[in-house]
Amino acid sequence: MTTAADPLSQRLEGPQPAVEIARDLARRGVLVAPVIIGFGAIFWGANGAASVGYALAIVVANFLLAAFMLGTAAQISLAMMGAAALMGFVTRLALIFLAVMLVKDLSWVELVPLGITLIVAHLGLLFWEMRYISGSLAYPGLKPRPGRSY
Amino acid sequence: MSIASTAAQVLAQTDITADELKAAEGASSAGFAYGLAAIGPGIGIGYLVGQAVQAMARQPESAGTVQTTMFLGIAFTEALALIGFVVFILLKFV
């Protein structure tokens, strides 16, 4: 006879792969920022470059906040992690909405490059990161790299 | 009674101009579009997280792998809501 697992009392301890992945995503976002901002400057000028940089910062902050919320809640209980994932979705959408609405009328904001960057940077960073995800039992987060401590 | 005839009656009875009515319709449509675009990812993330929590509770030794998959799934699903949001700001403000 098996006993049913109780997600209310179980919690995850040890390293948090989501946080590890989000940090790596942020690192890649910083690496690619000059290129994306350069594209914004070429097509939309200085305002475009500033808008693209702002959008990239929103995307990176969104990843980091999502991972932090999931990781922190998973250390409390699995049920809390589920709640954090759902409430986090709504909260982060509201924060992105607020972050864009607060600056939309400022002189340096170009909404078209900002919107395009939000989508392209989000998806582009994710697809790029997929190449470095291990997802195995030994390395649940990123693939092992030589010279890296775990 | 159709929406167009109702709008015509409202126009006849008030000081609202046709341009103002059109702008109001555009704003409400953009709002509906953003709201509808957020519903699908919300359902998707709910299902995804529910299954992930169940998997972690059943097999705690694979919780790390499941959490990685869950985080990536949430991020990809959230892109749909972001697309809806970008369409909203482009429709409404550009």
Side-chain angles (χ1 to χ4, degrees):
Chain A
M1 183 178 160
T2 57
T3 54
D6 181 15
L8 288 176
S9 59
Q10 278 189 316
R11 61 180 176 180
L12 301 182
E13 291 168 352
Q16 298 293 333
V19 176
E20 183 189 8
I21 292 168
R23 280 192 188 140
D24 200 54
L25 275 166
R27 190 177 64 83
R28 290 181 200 288
V30 172
L31 281 178
V32 84
V35 178
I36 301 182
I37 292 173
F39 271 114
I42 289 169
F43 290 106
W44 288 280
N47 290 348
S51 303
V52 164
Y54 185 68
L56 192 62
I58 289 176
V59 168
V60 169
N62 184 34
F63 282 135
L64 289 173
L65 186 61
F68 175 75
M69 289 174 81
L70 283 178
T72 307
Q75 289 173 339
I76 299 171
S77 76
L78 290 181
M80 186 64 82
M81 189 191 68
L86 286 174
M87 289 311 295
F89 169 67
V90 177
T91 308
R92 280 179 284 115
L93 271 188
L95 286 177
I96 292 173
F97 183 84
L98 201 65
V100 174
M101 286 301 127
L102 284 177
V103 301
K104 72 178 172 54
D105 293 324
L106 297 182
S107 61
W108 55 270
V109 172
E110 293 276 350
L111 285 176
V112 174
L114 193 147
I116 291 172
T117 308
L118 275 179
I119 296 172
V120 172
H122 187 94
L123 285 174
L125 284 175
L126 273 177
F127 277 113
W128 192 16
E129 189 67 24
M130 290 292 286
R131 296 187 61 196
Y132 303 96
I133 300 286
S134 169
S136 63
L137 283 178
Y139 299 101
L142 300 172
K143 286 178 183 170
R145 280 186 311 203
R148 186 173 163 191
S149 60
Y150 291 93
Chain B
M1 186 180 289
S2 69
I3 295 174
S5 61
T6 308
Q9 281 186 356
V10 169
L11 272 179
Q13 291 169 6
T14 62
D15 294 335
I16 300 172
T17 64
D19 286 341
E20 286 171 342
L21 189 65
K22 197 175 173 184
E25 284 175 353
S28 59
S29 302
F32 273 122
Y34 181 35
L36 289 173
I39 287 176
I43 294 171
I45 288 176
Y47 184 74
L48 189 159
V49 171
Q51 298 295 316
V53 167
Q54 198 175 53
M56 288 182 204
R58 285 177 188 270
Q59 286 192 301
E61 68 274 10
S62 65
T65 313
V66 175
Q67 197 187 18
T68 299
T69 311
M70 184 189 75
F71 177 69
L72 291 173
I74 289 173
F76 274 112
T77 312
E78 203 174 286
L80 294 173
L82 271 183
I83 291 171
F85 172 63
V86 169
V87 169
F88 161 73
I89 58 172
L90 293 183
L91 279 178
K92 181 81 177 69
F93 301 113
V94 176

